[in-house]
Amino acid sequence: MTPRVVILDYGSGNLRSAERALERAGADVTVTADYRAALEADGLVVPGVGAFAACMAGLKAVRGDRIIDRRLASGRPVLGICVGMQILFGKGVEHGVETEGCGEWPGVVERLEAPVIPHMGWNTVEPDEGSALFAGIEPGTRFYFVHSYGVRRWEYWPSFGPRPKLTWAEHGVRFLAAAEMGPLSATQFHPEKSGDAGARLLRNWVRSL
């Protein structure tokens, strides 16, 4: 059976490019803010572009934070992309202003320290051993990033359950490029804009549903 995937439409994100990429990856895709549809889909994708605070406001307006929490509590997969990854963490700090995130993972989203900001373009990543997202993707493969903020420290090491699979990249400083733990996965880069490698990553996720 073709996996049913909902892309959560909360006013932020490259919805159509993500929709097309996920369809090519083998999913039956719906773009919607409908609470029940998002809750019951085989997979939920949370995109995001722009400011952390604006994304959180839009997410809460459609009860997206509750949808994510309820899905994860019942082991139902969620994939965050770009700022959709960032809002999964405890808080974001932009221009000295702190905004509470979803808190699914503890940690702080903060400005990167690099000679050139934003970090825009292709960059290599360092996948964790045994990563499901990066299965079959060659080391040294580049992915497409557009961001000025990121998570620079992973703060959660569970005493039981699955060990998190962490993928790192570097732009001035090391930052988290992707994370996988149980039903929750996320990428700081845009797989839907990352050519064949991004397509393979999305295929890996869709096939896991």
Side-chain angles (χ1 to χ4, degrees):
M1 182 178 293
T2 303
R4 294 175 301 112
V5 171
V6 161
I7 299 174
L8 189 61
D9 183 2
Y10 64 100
S12 178
N14 300 298
L15 303 180
R16 298 309 165 194
S17 57
E19 180 183 18
R20 290 192 295 270
L22 284 158
E23 286 174 344
R24 288 194 296 269
D28 177 6
V29 184
T30 303
V31 178
T32 183
D34 182 78
Y35 184 88
R36 184 57 55 187
L39 204 60
E40 294 179 352
D42 298 316
L44 177 70
V45 173
V46 182
V49 295
F52 187 103
C55 284
M56 276 306 302
L59 189 74
K60 289 183 175 180
V62 300
R63 296 186 291 170
D65 52 338
R66 186 176 179 192
I67 292 168
I68 293 168
D69 194 59
R70 285 193 61 186
R71 285 186 62 89
L72 296 177
S74 59
R76 301 180 72 80
V78 175
L79 174 66
I81 295 175
C82 197
V83 184
M85 170 178 172
Q86 295 177 7
I87 58 178
L88 298 170
F89 287 85
K91 66 179 179 180
V93 181
E94 294 181 343
H95 308 297
V97 177
E98 292 188 4
T99 303
E100 184 179 350
C102 292
E104 299 298 343
W105 290 321
V108 180
V109 178
E110 55 193 332
R111 187 172 173 85
L112 301 179
E113 295 178 5
V116 177
I117 293 292
H119 174 215
M120 181 181 297
W122 298 84
N123 201 351
T124 57
V125 301
E126 303 169 23
D128 210 341
E129 184 178 355
S131 164
L133 286 180
F134 292 89
I137 297 174
E138 291 294 322
T141 297
R142 295 177 179 270
F143 293 85
Y144 190 78
F145 291 84
V146 184
H147 65 120
S148 300
Y149 295 81
V151 175
R152 293 163 54 183
R153 290 169 296 278
W154 178 263
E155 300 181 9
Y156 182 45
W157 295 99
S159 57
F160 61 91
R163 185 182 75 81
K165 302 292 185 184
L166 306 178
T167 295
W168 297 90
E170 187 168 327
H171 181 71
V173 293
R174 273 170 63 84
F175 65 89
L176 197 61
E180 306 158 62
M181 197 174 80
L184 182 56
S185 302
T187 66
Q188 178 62 69
F189 55 83
H190 287 274
E192 77 281 7
K193 295 182 177 181
S194 295
D196 291 343
R200 177 60 185 264
L201 184 144
L202 290 175
R203 238 180 0 257
N204 287 341
W205 184 72
V206 168
R207 289 173 179 173
S208 74
L209 301 177

